[in-house]
Amino acid sequence: MKNPPDFRSRLRAGERLIGTIASLASPEATEILATSGYDWLFLESEHAPTSPLELQRMMMAARDVPCVIRLPNHAEIEIKRALDMGAAGIIVPQVNTAEQAAAVVAHAKFPPEGRRGVGVSRANGYGDYVGPHVAHANARSAVVVQAEHIDAVHHIEDIVKVPGVDCVFIGPYDLSASMHKLGQLDDPEVIEAIGHIAAVTKAAGLALGFFATSPELVLPRLAEGFTLVACGVDTLFLRREAQAVSARLKNAQF
Ligand code: 3PY
Ligand code: MG
């Protein structure tokens, strides 16, 4: 039987991949999300205090659902460790220039494409299949760069030309903040900036990614051709449902 296509192949083929953000350092919460019908999970380590060990255990709980780790920064050690832990890819915040994108790719790929270090890890079956893993890892590890600063908008034509970049994931909140319009996603200049990133990324044949807090905000993006979607956050799901239940019962009149 043929293996199902890996996450990076699906991303590069333009398949629509619906995910959500797992930010709670809880394998149980990750397991609930992983069994709720998502194509992938966005594991958060930029805006959540998840440790590498917690991220690895969250991935174990997700079982066959591909997990892509959003790193806290561009550091070589973060990139290497995320992939060694078995992540299907990395999402790197604030990639604002082609030089930064090239450095990210170099840290994510084994030689000759890059200079990722080799070690016994979960990704190679704890040493059971180091050789086969090294042979296939470059082709199977997705590199997603975030365009979420006005500087990235200015450099997007060069960023998308960097070999090894698979997807540009727009961070609308940071992007709007860098334009001094925090959260004003309907502002014409913010809309124009997002449209420019999207047009250049699509013309380069790369996948486009987006985060939003609700399906209503995601649906227009799907219609525009965004394919890698992270909708919602575990904490928001919990918060919204918890508030709705308490409000309904506490305000009940008989
Ligand atoms: C942003 O909106 O800044 C993000 O990074 C969303 O993931
Ligand atoms: Mg951001």
Side-chain angles (χ1 to χ4, degrees):
M1 207 173 73
K2 259 185 91 184
N3 286 332
D6 62 283
F7 177 83
R8 179 171 182 256
S9 305
R10 295 168 70 190
L11 182 67
R12 294 218 54 119
E15 192 176 322
R16 187 179 288 171
L17 297 162
I18 304 299
T20 190
I21 297 187
S23 70
L24 292 166
S26 157
E28 292 82 358
T30 307
E31 189 173 36
I32 292 169
L33 295 179
T35 51
S36 294
Y38 293 99
D39 299 309
W40 70 291
L41 295 180
F42 174 132
L43 266 50
E44 175 67 297
S45 71
E46 183 192 16
H47 292 293
T50 41
S51 72
L53 185 57
E54 287 163 340
L55 290 164
Q56 177 158 284
R57 292 189 176 158
M58 289 161 74
M59 286 194 283
M60 292 161 85
R63 283 172 267 171
D64 291 339
V65 176
C67 293
V68 183
I69 299 182
R70 177 169 49 195
L71 302 172
N73 55 43
H74 303 187
E76 177 177 4
I77 180 64
E78 300 286 354
I79 295 172
K80 175 165 50 185
R81 197 155 48 189
L83 296 174
D84 279 355
M85 290 190 296
I90 49 170
I91 298 174
V92 185
Q94 298 283 350
V95 176
N96 299 333
T97 65
E99 290 72 25
Q100 289 175 343
V104 163
V105 172
H107 298 325
K109 303 289 180 186
F110 289 119
E113 285 97 330
R115 47 175 189 274
R116 177 176 165 193
V118 186
V120 170
S121 67
R122 180 167 180 263
N124 52 47
Y126 305 98
D128 201 27
Y129 40 84
V130 176
H133 174 252
V134 170
H136 297 294
N138 287 357
R140 292 186 187 157
S141 306
V143 174
V144 180
V145 298
Q146 279 202 265
E148 53 175 354
H149 193 282
I150 192 67
D151 291 349
V153 179
H154 295 145
H155 295 126
I156 192 67
E157 279 87 356
D158 297 324
I159 292 172
V160 296
K161 286 192 197 123
V162 173
V165 170
D166 298 309
C167 174
V168 173
F169 192 100
I170 298 177
Y173 292 96
D174 278 316
L175 174 61
S176 59
S178 78
M179 301 170 74
H180 306 289
K181 294 173 186 258
L182 175 54
Q184 295 173 42
L185 307 190
D186 289 335
D187 180 274
E189 287 180 24
V190 175
I191 292 174
E192 193 188 326
I194 290 177
H196 181 65
I197 298 170
V200 173
T201 302
K202 270 204 261 180
L206 300 186
L208 262 174
F210 199 75
F211 165 75
T213 52
S214 70
E216 290 65 40
L217 293 170
V218 165
L219 288 168
R221 299 295 174 198
L222 293 180
E224 287 163 22
F226 284 73
T227 57
L228 185 68
V229 167
C231 182
V233 186
D234 50 10
T235 47
L236 278 181
F237 291 139
L238 193 56
R239 165 67 77 202
R240 285 183 187 145
E241 190 61 16
Q243 282 179 337
V245 169
S246 71
R248 175 127 187 255
L249 294 181
K250 291 189 75 155
N251 298 333
Q253 307 282 335
F254 299 101

